[in-house]
Amino acid sequence: MTRLKLATVWLGGCSGCHMSFLDLDEWLIDLAAQVDVVYSPIADIKEYPEGVDLVLVEGAIANEEHLELIHKIRERTKTVISFGDCAVTGNVTALRNPLGGAEPVLQLAYIQSADVNQQIPHAPGIVPPLLDKVVPVHQVIPVDIYLPGCPPSAPRIRATLEPLLKGEKPQMEGREMIKFG
C-alpha cells in the first residue's frame, strides 16, 4: 500500500483546528500507519514539499507570507481541504476587515494599545506585511473540500479523512458534517 503524503498548515487562525486534529487520540496511530506527515506546525519542517497528496489548511489568508504559501500549497498538492471556519469564511480572523485595512490595525495594535515602545515594527522578518483584507482560502486558490467548524470536531475530521485514505470522496452533507461554529 502506498502511503499518502499528508500536510497540515496553520495560517491566520488560533490553532484550534490543529488542537481538534490532535483530539483524534488513538486514531492518530492508525492515521500514522497510512500517511507520511510531510509538513505541519506539529513537525518542524521549514519548506512546503512537492507531491503532497492531501493538506488540511487552517486559517484565513491574512498576510503576504500566507499569500505566498497558499499558492505554493495549491501548486504542490492534489487535494486541498479548507480546514475550519477561518479557512472557509474568514471567520474571527476577518473581523479586522471593517477597520479599513492593514494600517489602522497596526496603529491600533502597536501605537494606540501599547503601554511602552509605541512603534510599528518594520524590520524584515518580525511581522509579515498584512494584507489590507483577510480572505478565506477559496478566494485565493481553488479548494477541493470544505470542512467547516470552529473548530471541526475530531469525529468530523476523521469522517472526512477516512474516505480520502481509501481514495474515496467524503460525504460532506448533513448537520454533523457541514455545521459552522
Side-chain angles (χ1 to χ4, degrees):
M1 182 171 136
T2 305
R3 293 167 62 86
L4 293 177
K5 292 181 181 178
L6 171 70
T8 70
V9 175
W10 176 19
L11 301 176
C14 70
S15 84
C17 296
H18 275 83
M19 295 296 101
S20 197
F21 180 81
L22 293 175
D23 285 342
L24 288 166
D25 299 329
E26 294 85 9
W27 190 74
L28 287 171
I29 296 167
D30 296 334
L31 180 62
Q34 300 175 68
V35 301
D36 290 323
V37 177
V38 296
Y39 187 89
S40 178
I42 299 166
D44 189 26
I45 302 165
K46 304 296 185 212
E47 180 66 23
Y48 193 85
E50 300 275 349
V52 176
D53 294 301
L54 177 63
V55 64
L56 294 163
V57 178
E58 173 183 353
I61 313 300
N63 64 44
E64 289 181 12
E65 284 182 7
H66 297 156
L67 194 57
E68 181 181 324
L69 179 57
I70 201 65
H71 284 292
K72 194 177 290 185
I73 288 166
R74 181 69 271 180
E75 177 184 303
R76 298 178 179 183
T77 308
K78 290 179 189 165
T79 303
V80 174
I81 298 175
S82 236
F83 183 34
D85 288 352
C86 289
V88 173
T89 68
N91 202 29
V92 174
T93 311
L95 287 175
R96 74 172 169 90
N97 289 347
L99 296 176
E103 192 58 34
V105 170
L106 293 169
Q107 285 290 326
L108 181 61
Y110 290 103
I111 306 297
Q112 297 169 19
S113 299
D115 293 329
V116 295
N117 286 340
Q118 294 177 324
Q119 63 180 3
I120 296 173
H122 293 288
I126 293 182
V127 175
L130 297 179
L131 299 176
D132 277 332
K133 188 173 181 187
V134 175
V135 295
V137 174
H138 71 273
Q139 286 189 9
V140 179
I141 63 163
V143 168
D144 301 299
I145 297 171
Y146 295 88
L147 178 56
C150 186
S153 68
R156 187 185 299 182
I157 296 167
R158 181 175 176 175
T160 302
L161 292 177
E162 279 184 320
L164 291 166
L165 295 172
K166 298 175 193 168
E168 301 167 2
K169 189 141 175 122
Q171 296 300 309
M172 304 307 288
E173 55 192 38
R175 181 171 173 78
E176 287 308 310
M177 290 304 288
I178 62 171
K179 178 182 169 281
F180 286 85

